Amino acid sequence: MHDHWRGRERYTVFDSDYGDGAAVRALFDAWRADPQRPARLHVVALADGLMPGFHRIPQDEAGLSLDLLAAPLDAALAQLSASLDAIRLHRVSAPGAAFARPLARLAALGARLATSGLDEEQRRALQQQGFVFDGDQAVFASRKPRLPATPTPERRALVIGAGLAGSSAAWRLCARGWQVTLLERHPRPAMEASGNLAGIFMPLLSRDDNIPTRLTRAAYLYALRQWEQLGGVGRAIEGQACGVLQLARDPGHAAVSRALAAEGTLPPAFARWLEPGPAEALLGLPAPDGGWLFPQGGWARPGSVCETMLAACGAGLQQRFGVGSVSLERAGEEWIARRKDGAELGRAPTVVLANGAGALQLPQAAALPISLLRGQVSHLDAGQAPALPLVLCREAYLTPAANGIVCAGATYDLDSDPQLRAASHEENLARMRALVSDPQAALDAPLLGRVGFRCVAPDRLPLVGRLPDFASAGSTERLRDVPRHPGLHALLGYASRGLIWAPLAAELLAAQLEGEPLPLEMNLVDALDPARFVLRARRSSRVPLID
């Protein structure tokens, strides 16, 4: 393999069995020892013992990447976006050869295949797809047309917005050697939606394991790994990995949750159903219908996450704060960002819009169907709320005390009032009293807290990827055919889950820009594509009116 990867910018290996990881560790060691190694080595491997889906595992060296896929071989290949240069097929336990076609779709011309234990049907299917065998080795030599490889990008970018979305984007691009200019209209990072004292991190559960559940699970697990690499919550990042207890709403919700727990698919370290007795013993408060315990969950101050990510960017990051409103203009192959007075703030071939609903002020993004939801959080003196060992939530949330303050919230309002108001405060307190089963809690709590505005898409999923050109869409029917603004990308619409969505969304965008294997299944990537709204608008326009 070493002679095959030399002289390349990037090299991708697929292994059908990660096993105990020894083979991948040996490959990484060989990469480190080879002075002619590729700049980036990416390994994708099937692995047991993980929750379903794709798992990107952070590595200490910027040139190494590892994805572990918890799915059957043919299903994993069908959802993978990658160009494979080397393939190891061994211990293919499932009968049949359904994997051959998706594997050929992913193989680069000249890709090397090493096999063991294939049966005649599987070997014949691979030959029919273009693999030329010599013993147990093969080379992919199909004559079918191939999609062009992503060219090595010019690694310069403007990132607009220094909240969780923009700070994550800067970090993941700088980790790949990009030069990033970060533009923020405020004098420091995390002053809008990312400015709350506490953000909650926890997964989402559902019986049907739907797209929001799968996305949130992948993002949550990735965020935990990345934060640990940055120094950890409670250490480098202000917060507590104290666990989250999500109380059941009512007996019906408890019955559904109990049935999900009985399926036995959720590892206890990820989520554990607690009946009322154990829940009350843990919480020290009533929990009449039980609840879900997320042991790895907790809270973090989003601003400290932003600060830690920006500090990790190193010399590749230029930060420009207090720039006010920014406009964009296209000049040749670059975008130029200008201040309101026309002064140039920076230029680059790539722009990432990570400024929430502020992106709608730009003509190129004005047609995106994103909106703002007002959220007011109440700040309580620690003595006005029960002392909690973990985060407690249901329709609302309540954090353990930090620096003498407990956070309770947050409202979902449709107006744009930036001021604290008594009605929203009372709504938070009423929910908090119901949460802790104490109608007397915080009766005289003064009006203290913070108002922020969440950026939300109609389907409550984020927008990650190339920005569509709505005006030029015409009769487009497929995502891949939607025209895009060249070099213009979105990281928007994080709603209430920006704390955990932001790192994985930024990693996905960076991988797209670099032409790397993507860290999510393709149906999840498509569900996040900003161009999905172009197709939905067209489909809606074809629905006949009924008199």
Side-chain angles (χ1 to χ4, degrees):
M1 187 181 297
H2 304 168
D3 62 324
H4 196 227
W5 73 25
R6 287 173 176 163
R8 301 198 188 202
E9 172 69 19
R10 59 176 80 95
Y11 195 84
T12 302
V13 179
F14 177 83
D15 194 323
S16 65
D17 184 15
Y18 180 73
D20 62 3
V24 170
R25 290 192 293 272
L27 186 59
F28 283 176
D29 287 342
W31 176 84
R32 295 184 184 100
D34 189 348
Q36 300 180 59
R37 66 193 183 197
R40 292 190 65 83
L41 172 62
H42 198 117
V43 176
V44 181
L46 299 191
D48 297 323
L50 296 171
M51 298 199 68
F54 288 16
H55 300 256
R56 178 146 295 181
I57 311 300
Q59 303 298 307
D60 291 335
E61 289 123 313
L64 294 175
S65 301
L66 174 63
D67 286 338
L68 299 181
L69 315 186
L73 175 59
D74 54 342
L77 293 172
Q79 288 295 322
L80 179 62
S81 176
S83 178
L84 306 180
D85 301 297
I87 302 160
R88 289 185 66 214
L89 281 182
H90 56 126
R91 298 185 184 176
V92 180
S93 56
F99 63 84
R101 185 182 295 273
L103 183 64
R105 176 184 62 85
L106 299 171
L109 281 177
R112 295 185 177 181
L113 170 65
T115 70
S116 63
L118 296 184
D119 61 33
E120 285 304 313
E121 178 192 4
Q122 294 166 340
R123 186 182 177 98
R124 186 166 55 253
L126 289 168
Q127 289 173 326
Q128 291 171 349
Q129 292 296 328
F131 288 93
V132 179
F133 276 84
D134 181 6
D136 288 333
Q137 309 291 316
V139 174
F140 186 66
S142 173
R143 295 183 179 180
K144 295 179 181 178
R146 314 296 294 169
L147 291 174
T150 301
T152 300
E154 185 178 353
R155 296 185 173 97
R156 293 185 296 117
L158 304 174
V159 175
I160 302 177
L164 286 165
S167 299
S168 298
W171 176 38
R172 301 320 303 146
L173 290 173
C174 286
R176 290 164 167 82
W178 286 58
Q179 298 296 309
V180 175
T181 300
L182 181 66
L183 305 176
E184 169 55 55
R185 70 187 188 96
H186 293 293
R188 61 180 186 273
M191 291 195 68
E192 293 195 14
S194 302
N196 286 345
L197 291 182
I200 309 307
F201 56 93
M202 56 183 282
L204 181 66
L205 302 180
S206 65
R207 287 294 301 274
D208 60 354
D209 205 31
N210 54 36
I211 282 177
T213 299
R214 292 163 54 204
L215 170 66
T216 304
R217 177 172 66 236
Y220 170 72
L221 294 173
Y222 179 75
L224 294 180
R225 296 177 185 121
Q226 283 288 27
W227 294 339
E228 193 60 31
Q229 191 178 47
L230 286 171
V233 175
R235 302 188 299 279
I237 294 169
E238 183 181 340
Q240 292 177 279
C242 52
V244 175
L245 181 62
Q246 183 182 28
L247 296 179
R249 295 187 299 272
D250 51 44
H253 182 218
V256 172
S257 298
R258 194 173 292 114
L260 176 59
E263 294 175 1
T265 58
L266 297 172
F270 180 79
R272 188 161 73 247
W273 172 253
L274 299 182
E275 292 293 347
E280 291 173 1
L282 173 66
L283 185 60
L285 294 169
D289 297 304
W292 283 105
L293 174 64
F294 303 110
Q296 297 170 294
W299 69 271
R301 183 172 67 83
S304 75
V305 179
C306 294
E307 293 155 8
T308 305
M309 290 189 292
L310 293 177
C313 290
L317 178 64
Q318 179 186 14
Q319 303 179 64
R320 304 197 65 178
F321 293 103
V323 302
S325 298
V326 173
S327 63
L328 290 173
E329 64 182 63
R330 187 76 175 167
E333 298 298 312
E334 292 188 319
W335 290 97
I336 301 175
R338 296 192 184 278
R339 210 164 47 195
K340 194 171 183 179
D341 62 6
E344 183 176 318
L345 295 168
R347 60 173 66 203
T350 297
V351 174
V352 180
L353 303 182
N355 53 339
L360 297 179
Q361 305 304 312
L362 297 168
Q364 299 87 352
L368 291 173
I370 54 177
S371 57
L372 287 179
L373 282 179
R374 179 183 182 274
Q376 180 169 321
V377 179
S378 295
H379 295 165
L380 308 177
D381 182 85
Q384 296 174 314
L388 297 178
L390 39 58
V391 176
L392 183 62
C393 66
R394 191 164 53 203
E395 291 87 356
Y397 66 82
L398 188 66
T399 66
N403 301 315
I405 296 175
V406 170
C407 295
T411 61
Y412 283 82
D413 308 316
L414 299 178
D415 62 273
S416 57
D417 180 9
Q419 302 301 317
L420 288 172
R421 61 185 183 220
S424 296
H425 185 57
E426 285 303 318
E427 180 182 338
N428 284 335
L429 295 182
R431 289 180 176 176
M432 184 270 285
R433 291 169 189 139
L435 196 60
V436 300
S437 300
D438 182 358
Q440 303 301 313
L443 279 179
D444 300 318
L447 178 57
L448 298 172
R450 185 179 187 276
V451 174
F453 292 89
R454 312 170 185 89
C455 179
V456 182
D459 57 8
R460 298 298 193 268
L461 293 176
L463 285 70
V464 181
R466 296 179 297 159
L467 202 66
D469 184 346
F470 281 83
S472 302
S475 59
T476 306
E477 297 286 348
R478 299 178 299 184
L479 276 175
R480 67 175 182 237
D481 296 330
V482 174
R484 316 284 178 136
H485 291 287
L488 197 54
H489 306 265
L491 289 173
L492 303 168
Y494 289 178
S496 300
R497 296 188 179 272
L499 192 60
I500 59 172
W501 280 354
L504 183 57
E507 179 72 4
L508 171 60
L509 179 59
Q512 289 173 328
L513 291 170
E514 286 280 345
E516 299 170 359
L518 301 187
L520 280 172
E521 301 95 314
M522 279 306 302
N523 57 4
L524 293 181
V525 174
D526 290 347
L528 305 183
D529 192 327
R532 66 190 188 267
F533 297 111
V534 174
L535 304 190
R536 291 176 191 178
R538 281 194 47 73
R539 291 165 189 157
S540 297
S541 69
R542 291 199 299 267
V543 175
L545 296 177
I546 300 176
D547 293 331

